[in-house]
Amino acid sequence: MKGLRHHLTYRLLAPLILGYVLTLTLAFVLIENQADSIRERLIQHRSGELAETFLLAVESNPTDDDILRIVLSMRTFTDVDLLLILDDDKKSILAASRLQFVGQLIDTVNPPELRERLMDAAINRANLFERAGGDLHYLSYKLPLFASNSAALRKLTFVVQIRQHAIAAVHADNARITRIGLAISLAVLIILMFFLVRRYVLRPILQLNKIINQSKAEQAPVLADFTTPDEIGVLIN
């Protein structure tokens, strides 16, 4: 009986453990494959938060001095590499997190790659999102992002360069928590499946094996002292 119990337990555990390892591996591969798109969505979401923060701060009094003061205060964020507010009418930089850009005409900005992006941002009415090379992502938003009574805000463009590694650190923490949660959830599910199968399949089979052995030993039929509402119960009765 003991040998049969161990044999059935091993044969039950083996596919469950193998399925757990394969499922967990596949899930981790899928999470890793989605990492880039998830990171980009996080970057876009973060840049949208920054634009909304700026708008809420200047909505009541959008003077040039207030705009510059708020932009300079936002440069303390670790994920902000560069923040610019463009005046679309004058094609110039109204405010910037780096003071050397303040007041510059867009067509005089260096490096050339940034100048081209700013020209596109000032001319086009569509929002723009692209990699700026290396660790940086470039995003521009036409203001205001929501309904506003301020005519001054309607001629401005919000431009930000985000450092990817700062966002990636948050994503890595979230991915790590997701992996741990997934591993624990699958482990609980496997354990639950094992105990259910052990209770409703393995135990009745062992009891049936005991009855058969007892019947052989006594050379007479032996009545089962248990029933189950499934196929094993039908077999026993």
Side-chain angles (χ1 to χ4, degrees):
M1 175 70 71
K2 185 175 181 180
L4 178 62
R5 180 185 296 112
H6 288 168
H7 177 72
L8 292 176
T9 301
Y10 293 149
R11 295 196 63 175
L12 176 62
L13 277 176
L16 290 177
I17 294 175
L18 180 61
Y20 172 78
V21 173
L22 292 177
T23 302
L24 202 60
T25 302
L26 178 60
F28 285 179
V29 169
L30 291 175
I31 291 174
E32 190 61 31
N33 288 340
Q34 294 296 318
D36 288 340
S37 60
I38 293 173
R39 191 180 300 114
E40 286 190 357
R41 287 197 294 269
L42 288 173
I43 291 171
Q44 292 185 56
H45 177 72
R46 173 56 177 161
S47 63
E49 284 183 341
L50 292 171
E52 290 180 1
T53 300
F54 169 78
L55 276 174
L56 291 173
V58 303
E59 173 71 16
S60 60
N61 188 28
T63 64
D64 292 356
D65 289 340
D66 285 331
I67 290 174
L68 178 59
R69 176 178 55 80
I70 292 167
V71 168
L72 289 176
S73 69
M74 295 177 70
R75 67 181 176 180
T76 58
F77 297 137
T78 57
D79 54 354
V80 174
D81 175 70
L82 177 63
L83 198 157
L84 305 169
I85 304 299
L86 308 183
D87 187 322
D88 296 342
D89 291 341
K90 298 179 180 179
K91 301 296 185 295
S92 64
I93 299 175
L94 178 63
S97 58
R98 300 178 192 172
L99 291 176
Q100 67 266 30
F101 287 111
V102 177
Q104 267 193 273
L105 294 176
I106 295 175
D107 59 7
T108 64
V109 171
N110 283 311
E113 295 82 4
L114 178 60
R115 180 170 62 244
E116 291 176 6
R117 293 191 184 99
L118 296 182
M119 290 295 294
D120 288 340
I123 295 172
N124 299 325
R125 297 306 303 174
N127 297 332
L128 178 65
F129 170 71
E130 63 181 2
R131 292 191 70 107
D135 186 51
L136 301 177
H137 287 258
Y138 171 91
L139 302 99
S140 64
Y141 294 93
K142 290 299 180 181
L143 301 181
L145 297 179
F146 47 79
S148 172
N149 295 323
S150 173
L153 290 177
R154 298 193 184 104
K155 65 174 184 176
L156 302 181
T157 299
F158 181 92
V159 175
V160 62
Q161 283 188 168
I162 296 285
R163 294 187 181 98
Q164 177 179 300
H165 74 269
I167 304 295
V170 176
H171 169 66
D173 290 340
N174 292 338
R176 190 178 303 109
I177 293 173
T178 300
R179 291 189 183 98
I180 293 173
L182 182 62
I184 293 174
S185 300
L186 284 175
V188 171
L189 179 61
I190 293 296
I191 293 172
L192 180 61
M193 289 176 59
F194 171 74
F195 279 106
L196 287 175
V197 174
R198 189 169 184 268
R199 176 181 177 86
Y200 294 107
V201 177
L202 182 58
R203 184 179 297 175
I205 289 176
L206 292 175
Q207 290 176 324
L208 178 59
N209 182 70
K210 178 181 177 182
I211 292 171
I212 292 173
N213 292 334
Q214 186 179 352
S215 177
K216 287 180 179 179
E218 296 179 3
Q219 298 292 319
V222 177
L223 294 177
D225 58 355
F226 73 96
T227 59
T228 58
D230 52 25
E231 290 79 0
I232 295 179
V234 173
L235 179 63
I236 293 173
N237 295 322

